[in-house]
Amino acid sequence: MFEHLLPLRLQALPPRAARFCLGVDSFLRNELGLDLRGRTLLLGFSGGPDSTALLLALHCLAPRLGVSLRAAHLDHGLRPDSAAEAGRAAAFCAGLGVECAVRRVDALALSRALGAGVEDAGRQARYAFFAELQDAAPGSLLAVGHQLNDLAEDQLMRQMRGVGWPELAGMPAWDPQRRLLRPLLLSPRRAGLAFLRALGAESYADPANADPANLRNRVRVQILPLFLRENPSYLDHAARLWRLAAMDREVLEPAAPLPAPGPDGSVLLPRTELEALPQALRLRRMKAALESLGPGQPLFANLLRLDQAFCARRSRAVLQFPGRKAARVGRAGIRFFPANALTA
Amino acid sequence: MFEHLLPLRLQALPPRAARFCLGVDSFLRNELGLDLRGRTLLLGFSGGPDSTALLLALHCLAPRLGVSLRAAHLDHGLRPDSAAEAGRAAAFCAGLGVECAVRRVDALALSRALGAGVEDAGRQARYAFFAELQDAAPGSLLAVGHQLNDLAEDQLMRQMRGVGWPELAGMPAWDPQRRLLRPLLLSPRRAGLAFLRALGAESYADPANADPANLRNRVRVQILPLFLRENPSYLDHAARLWRLAAMDREVLEPAAPLPAPGPDGSVLLPRTELEALPQALRLRRMKAALESLGPGQPLFANLLRLDQAFCARRSRAVLQFPGRKAARVGRAGIRFFPANALTA
């Protein structure tokens, strides 16, 4: 254990551990452009190596970042000793002077009730717990321990699912809508493990699940290792692809706000605006309009079909989209309707 | 055999086979926007199923496309019966009234001489043979049988290698520099096989190599099947990604010509032009300038470094790039130098 280092201070860390923390600091500040001063960071803390590395790094960086730190641990009730693990997690946080909220759920019962997989149900319960704590601490941000290996797995899963660009490059490091932060997203798992070793810190539980019934586990255990075997610096590529997507987003998904919805909730993209865009941007603008109307992801093939109807000026053409949304081509442009508005 | 269908005419094909041909016609015309009237298509013909399907489809489409067809078969000399296979390939072409040039090489000896793998040496010899025939028939285009499974494999190999966007989406269907056409690129392998079956046609040799020493074979045999198992419509995704990249290219790689090189062969990208671009386009413009100066692919990390030097106005900063090229930041912009020009 690292009691001899307590209280942890960045200046007193072994050089290797300090470099890891400064890398996280630079990622938050320079790459994400975030100023976190005065914020509360609520850390999703499983007790596994990733979130332990995140907890320790954020703890060391807290004075420098100007943040205060809290933690939250959800006991999924899936292992006989999970309550003891939760106790150890809370004690670990207490040792750092970080308050840790603990709740217990029965993820198995939940998964039956939801008709979802256990991991899925567990994740839903976890994020609901975190959201509740965030609501009780206005302005707080949720920080989670996803790291570069998770990102590479996420990219491969997105590739499999058939996701387009720039979404193909994986999960965001900062999601303003969910007020969710992933400070370790470009740090390889082994860097976090080396950081823990440098501090003499142990992680208490490894929530990594190797059940091959779960796609993420198959990607982790079977597919990512194949990519790493072919290209030992594959993780660098995953980080590069992520950075390229962040740049491309600026060009491909301009931040121009969508027009305000009409009284029936529908949104009109004017013909003149759409005609001035190259196809790549026109399709993404249509996608943004549809997504603004509620859940349901439009398929690329359907967007293409809508674009063809628009370019051929097939006025009154109506296309249906997932989430019972619809789009109608007219002389003035394309009008997008939320679920059932067109038939109401 | 399909002698009863000879001479093959689009109008006389079984409906399923006609649909396959019309799909190829539409891809060339509508998607690639090519008008091939009056062209000679030189078909790289291995005798395997892909190039046989391509030969038969182009043969049926030749009147409609307004092209004349020739074939070329390289005997790699790797199997005892490869000369007999070459004879059968030429006879197959002759049966369709298509002239087929045949040459024999010793790919094994060539691979030793070049210090390259056998498949690599074979490919080099093949494309050198095709280029020679193309040079003798000015205006001719080379057509090769790559199909959607090849494209999906190519995407996965590019992903492994760490290629950016839009290159990640795979090989082009039309490469004007190489005058190379891939008419089947968005047709799944099974569609070509079904086309052959509908015609009662057999393919004579399957050059597909399962040697696991070769990366492409590992991707074909091991990795692509994993993706297809997770997502049975994965090939549709590969096609979709390719189409998205074609659109994005228009936005991300604008066709504006590069400034003419100076007397020393160097190219200047003016500061005002670069500063007006978002970073995603600025980096790609720098990449284009470097690539115009000869072989050697710039790394993303180096382009980022160059961009940082440019944005920080670090005048006189010099960065080296693969292929012994260099870039120098100056007040007027960035000047890119071909191999050794800076030190000469």
Side-chain angles (χ1 to χ4, degrees), chain A residues 227 231 234 237 240-241, chain B residues 151-164 166-172 182 215-216 219 249:
Chain A
F227 278 69
N231 179 359
Y234 182 73
H237 162 56
R240 210 153 55 224
L241 200 64
Chain B
L151 179 63
E153 288 158 20
D154 187 43
Q155 289 174 352
L156 290 173
M157 289 195 299
R158 287 172 186 239
Q159 172 96 32
M160 272 175 194
R161 272 213 311 276
V163 163
E167 298 84 355
L168 188 61
M171 58 180 107
R182 297 183 171 103
L215 172 60
R216 177 176 279 280
V219 171
R249 205 161 258 132

Side-chain angles (χ1 to χ4, degrees), chain A residues 160 218 230-231 248 284, chain B residues 160 218 230-231 248 284:
Chain A
M160 272 176 194
R218 290 197 298 276
E230 298 294 347
N231 179 359
D248 280 2
R284 287 182 174 93
Chain B
M160 272 175 194
R218 290 196 299 276
E230 298 294 347
N231 179 359
D248 281 1
R284 288 183 174 93

